[in-house]
Amino acid sequence: MASSRLLFFLYFLLIQLVALTKAQQPTVEPKMSYHDCVGKGNYTTNSPYQANLNQLLTSIYTNTAIDYGFYDFSLGENADRVQAIALCRPDISPGVCRACIRNASDSLVRLCPNFVEAIGGLDNCMVRYANRSISNLMEKGPYFWVYDDRNNVSDVDGFNRSRMTLLGNLSDKAARGDSRYKYAMDQIDAPNFQTIYALVQCTPDLSASECRDCLYNASGLIPQCCEARQGGRVIYPSCNFWYEIDRFYDPSANAPPPPLPPSPSSTSQGKKSNKSRTVIIAVVPVVSVILIICICIFLRVRKQKEEFEGKFRGFSLMLAYFLKG
Ligand SMILES: *[C@@H]1O[C@H](CO)[C@@H](O)[C@H](O)[C@H]1NC(C)=O
Ligand SMILES: *[C@@H]1O[C@H](CO)[C@@H](O)[C@H](O)[C@H]1NC(C)=O
Ligand SMILES: *[C@@H]1O[C@H](CO)[C@@H](O)[C@H](O)[C@H]1NC(C)=O
Ligand SMILES: *[C@@H]1O[C@H](CO)[C@@H](O)[C@H](O)[C@H]1NC(C)=O
Ligand SMILES: *[C@@H]1O[C@H](CO)[C@@H](O)[C@H](O)[C@H]1NC(C)=O
Ligand SMILES: *[C@@H]1O[C@H](CO)[C@@H](O)[C@H](O)[C@H]1NC(C)=O
Ligand SMILES: *[C@@H]1O[C@H](CO)[C@@H](O)[C@H](O)[C@H]1NC(C)=O
């Protein structure tokens, strides 16, 4: 009797605790996985730089035109010019990406008050801003690592070899991406019946060789960050990798991305779009003629429908018309 009363009391206590943590959850702000307030100088509160920074970050996480998870925006002139880059994990939806960028931007601005340059991220995205040009630029620092400190692997050498093979292959594959997507994900069988899953990514403004170099250097940090660990990430401003022994990514994002739409800005592609316009001009009348013929046939067939007693419909009707004629 006494023990069941004690059990009930413990159960009641547990319910209260759960309710308490649930009630407190909305006030808990997302914890940045990593960040650095780069010591390149400060802006003053309420300055045009601050206004531009806030407006720029808002324009990124409210942008619904970009669906490939890479944003490279700038705002302002001269000393008040801010540039910001945001990069999302490739296997999440644009909506989840924007929510992550919003949280990361808010936290970064709060964690780095008045810093002209900063970088930080959550699990799903990275955000950085500066008062200098940061596009098409492979940045060598600052870098970060985040690891999973559950059990360590037993066969470190074997695990290390498999992990290096996988990361090497993925880096080559990511480097071959286009100006919107440079990422790759895959798995490899490691010793002791383990499987290693990995995801690597470059900001797509890098060239193929810059992307490969950046990921090569990032893998070089494994001995410091996560030699024996079952999971880990290294994040550079221009590239990152992430591995785990569980499938942490969505493999359906592995499908080849849609082809790059022709951009009217470059001259060689301008020619291409002229060509496709010519093709459209030639195709439109042909399609119209076929359509008119089809309508005529359809109307004549309908007229003859009363005489026609078969059960044929649609295409069979047209076929019957041709046989008769
Ligand atoms: C960025 O801001 C810092 C601090 O105000 C300043 O010293 C530096 O010259 C600025 N850099 C550029 C490229 O404007
Ligand atoms: C910028 O401000 C922070 C405090 O907000 C301070 O720690 C840092 O030294 C300042 N940096 C410069 C270059 O003034
Ligand atoms: C953003 O923060 C809110 C509140 O702190 C949290 O509920 C939400 O899950 C976070 N979203 C992301 C994508 O981090
Ligand atoms: C895993 O190995 C690292 C050193 O590589 C050590 O610092 C850490 O405590 C180990 N973790 C566990 C859970 O054994
Ligand atoms: C893991 O592989 C890297 C690259 O091949 C090498 O530099 C490192 O020493 C290896 N570590 C272990 C523990 O085998
Ligand atoms: C990596 O590439 C090498 C050489 O192209 C190939 O033999 C190996 O099977 C690949 N490994 C994985 C995990 O794709
Ligand atoms: C990679 O490391 C080499 C040697 O330390 C260095 O020269 C190069 O600049 C680094 N590149 C990046 C992207 O960090």
Side-chain angles (χ1 to χ4, degrees):
M1 255 326 252
S3 71
S4 80
R5 219 177 276 162
L6 182 67
L7 266 177
F8 180 77
F9 175 68
L10 283 176
Y11 179 69
F12 178 74
L13 207 69
L14 191 72
I15 298 264
Q16 290 299 308
L17 264 174
V18 168
L20 202 69
T21 46
K22 265 196 181 149
Q24 281 178 344
Q25 248 166 20
T27 59
V28 177
E29 68 176 50
K31 197 177 173 302
M32 293 289 265
S33 305
Y34 56 90
H35 78 275
D36 188 26
C37 312
V38 184
K40 294 272 177 72
N42 289 350
Y43 59 79
T44 45
T45 305
N46 296 327
S47 61
Y49 189 86
Q50 182 174 30
N52 287 342
L53 174 62
N54 291 334
Q55 198 185 330
L56 184 63
L57 293 173
T58 308
S59 73
I60 291 181
Y61 62 71
T62 54
N63 178 298
T64 51
I66 289 175
D67 61 0
Y68 47 87
F70 175 63
Y71 304 79
D72 179 357
F73 288 8
S74 64
L75 184 67
E77 299 298 329
N78 305 323
D80 298 325
R81 183 178 172 83
V82 194
Q83 192 180 356
I85 282 181
L87 180 71
C88 282
R89 258 175 78 154
D91 59 338
I92 59 173
S93 70
V96 173
C97 171
R98 288 195 300 271
C100 181
I101 293 172
R102 179 180 196 141
N103 282 2
S105 305
D106 289 351
S107 299
L108 198 56
V109 169
R110 206 160 343 96
L111 289 165
C112 300
N114 300 82
F115 282 80
V116 287
E117 184 166 341
I119 175 170
L122 298 161
D123 282 354
N124 285 338
C125 65
M126 176 205 67
V127 173
R128 49 192 293 237
Y129 52 79
N131 66 339
R132 62 196 172 97
S133 173
I134 52 174
S135 18
N136 305 310
L137 192 68
M138 180 176 65
E139 294 267 40
K140 296 177 180 168
Y143 51 77
F144 312 87
W145 57 70
V146 179
Y147 53 76
D148 174 342
D149 211 1
R150 285 175 294 179
N151 299 318
N152 281 342
V153 297
S154 46
D155 175 4
V156 180
D157 286 338
F159 192 85
N160 188 40
R161 257 192 308 278
S162 302
R163 180 175 49 201
M164 279 301 178
T165 306
L166 180 58
L167 290 178
N169 285 17
L170 291 180
S171 301
D172 285 341
K173 196 170 167 204
R176 289 196 295 270
D178 63 23
S179 60
R180 295 165 306 162
Y181 300 100
K182 277 194 173 63
Y183 71 86
M185 56 186 93
D186 206 352
Q187 63 192 67
I188 193 170
D189 291 330
N192 293 329
F193 311 106
Q194 266 174 333
T195 304
I196 308 176
Y197 298 87
L199 167 59
V200 313
Q201 188 179 20
C202 293
T203 57
D205 57 342
L206 295 192
S207 71
S209 64
E210 286 173 329
C211 176
R212 222 177 286 113
D213 279 0
C214 186
L215 286 168
Y216 180 81
N217 280 18
S219 327
L221 290 173
I222 281 181
Q224 289 152 269
C225 101
C226 27
E227 190 81 285
R229 303 198 199 269
Q230 295 185 339
R233 299 164 64 187
V234 169
I235 300 107
Y236 267 79
S238 303
C239 70
N240 64 77
F241 72 77
W242 185 344
Y243 77 90
E244 296 284 345
I245 55 164
D246 314 307
R247 176 148 57 218
F248 62 98
Y249 56 73
D250 175 3
S252 68
N254 236 344
L260 204 61
S263 96
S265 57
S266 84
T267 46
S268 69
Q269 300 209 318
K271 265 187 210 149
K272 215 191 234 164
S273 75
N274 273 349
K275 204 191 242 169
S276 68
R277 210 173 298 137
T278 327
V279 170
I280 289 169
I281 289 167
V283 160
V284 164
V286 173
V287 169
S288 319
V289 167
I290 292 176
L291 205 70
I292 290 169
I293 293 176
C294 284
I295 292 170
C296 289
I297 292 174
F298 176 70
L299 290 177
R300 279 194 70 172
V301 168
R302 215 162 69 160
K303 244 180 171 176
Q304 294 172 346
K305 207 176 175 181
E306 286 131 47
E307 309 160 16
F308 190 75
E309 291 297 324
K311 278 186 170 179
F312 297 103
R313 285 180 189 278
F315 187 70
S316 325
L317 262 177
M318 261 193 227
L319 193 70
Y321 171 80
F322 281 119
L323 290 175
K324 263 179 145 183

